[in-house]
Amino acid sequence: MHADDVFKALADPTRRRLLDLLCEQNGQTLGKLCEHLDMTRQSATQHLGILEAANLVSTVRRGREKLHFINPVPLHEVYERWVRKFERQRLSLLHDLKQELEGG
Amino acid sequence: MHADDVFKALADPTRRRLLDLLCEQNGQTLGKLCEHLDMTRQSATQHLGILEAANLVSTVRRGREKLHFINPVPLHEVYERWVRKFERQRLSLLHDLKQELEGG
DNA sequence: AGAATATGCAGGTAGATACCTGCATGTCAA
DNA sequence: TTGACATGCAGGTATCTACCTGCATATTCT
């Protein structure tokens, strides 16, 4: 897994919006997704390409259309590997700061 | 909460490394953190500034030193608001793709 | 076949980003 | 007070990024 690609892909609000749109209705075409975005089709294509490179979106060609599907696996892996560590130590990390602020 | 700041802050590998370093030992100074990074102190300062702006790191001055502490709260909020939605639908989202691939 | 539709590809540009160097400020300790 | 130490601040630059326009290709429908 390439954590950097996933994080970079998530860093852009348009790409998070695309994931949201696909979450509402999975398997949408490029044109359909563009209806909800305030930019040219070509720009949206680039964003979808980045999501695809990060393996967050998988595509299937159907005739002249290209269907886009969310792949939730990388998100899950990123969470497991990067976020849960901080979650586990959440209270103790806050405790460290609190103690310092109190002059510990 | 400013989700965009948090995601952008997490998009850089150096900044994720800084969070890791603070997770290992919370409350480190700038100089201490720099020992583990292959860049100038000034560059590291910028990264820490971005983490602080995203509220992922809180700082406390102690004399001429500046102590850095992780704040795990924004990470938790981002997870709750952005990741769990996909988690909940994980299996059904994969199901959509599988069905399309099988010619559904 | 020919028109309409859906997407692909090749540049071009303004602004953001991640580095850097150089110098200034503030704090501690002898 | 003075030297050493820790950090702050002001630019400067190369690269990346996100957008655009223009044109090409592929598929469907009449």
Side-chain angles (χ1 to χ4, degrees):
Chain A
M1 200 244 314
H2 305 283
D4 201 54
D5 292 337
V6 176
F7 277 113
K8 287 232 168 77
L10 293 173
D12 186 273
T14 299
R15 292 194 285 271
R16 292 197 301 276
R17 177 112 175 79
L18 282 168
L19 290 181
D20 266 348
L21 289 170
L22 289 179
C23 205
E24 288 171 17
Q25 187 184 341
N26 215 1
Q28 294 186 66
T29 65
L30 170 60
K32 190 81 175 295
L33 290 167
C34 280
E35 292 174 10
H36 303 278
L37 299 179
D38 192 25
M39 62 180 59
T40 62
R41 174 184 56 79
Q42 286 84 341
S43 298
T45 301
Q46 283 189 324
H47 285 299
L48 287 167
I50 289 169
L51 288 171
E52 204 173 342
N55 204 28
L56 284 163
V57 162
S58 298
T59 59
V60 176
R61 275 221 93 109
R62 193 175 60 188
R64 64 181 163 182
E65 293 180 322
K66 191 173 182 180
L67 308 183
H68 297 79
F69 294 85
I70 291 190
N71 178 12
V73 175
L75 261 177
H76 183 72
E77 289 179 0
V78 158
Y79 169 68
E80 282 292 332
R81 198 146 149 188
W82 290 92
V83 181
R84 274 190 71 177
K85 171 167 48 173
F86 303 115
E87 283 292 295
R88 278 195 293 272
Q89 301 188 231
R90 197 151 86 97
L91 294 179
S92 67
L93 290 171
L94 283 174
H95 177 76
D96 296 340
L97 174 58
K98 186 157 171 283
Q99 204 161 51
E100 183 64 34
L101 286 173
E102 288 168 355
Chain B
M1 197 245 313
H2 304 284
D4 202 53
D5 292 337
V6 177
F7 277 113
K8 286 231 169 78
L10 293 173
D12 187 272
T14 299
R15 292 194 285 270
R16 292 197 300 276
R17 177 111 175 80
L18 282 168
L19 290 180
D20 267 347
L21 290 169
L22 289 178
C23 205
E24 288 172 17
Q25 187 185 342
N26 213 2
Q28 294 186 65
T29 66
L30 169 61
K32 190 83 175 294
L33 290 167
C34 280
E35 292 174 10
H36 302 277
L37 300 180
D38 191 24
M39 62 180 59
T40 62
R41 174 184 55 79
Q42 286 86 340
S43 297
T45 301
Q46 285 189 323
H47 284 299
L48 286 167
I50 289 169
L51 288 171
E52 205 173 341
N55 203 26
L56 285 164
V57 162
S58 298
T59 59
V60 176
R61 274 222 94 109
R62 192 174 63 187
R64 64 183 163 181
E65 293 181 325
K66 189 174 183 180
L67 308 184
H68 298 79
F69 294 85
I70 292 191
N71 178 12
V73 175
L75 261 176
H76 183 71
E77 289 178 0
V78 159
Y79 169 67
E80 282 292 333
R81 198 147 148 189
W82 289 93
V83 181
R84 272 188 71 176
K85 169 167 50 172
F86 302 115
E87 282 292 296
R88 278 195 294 272
Q89 303 188 231
R90 197 151 86 96
L91 294 180
S92 68
L93 290 172
L94 282 175
H95 177 75
D96 296 341
L97 173 59
K98 187 157 169 283
Q99 205 162 49
E100 183 63 35
L101 286 173
E102 288 168 353

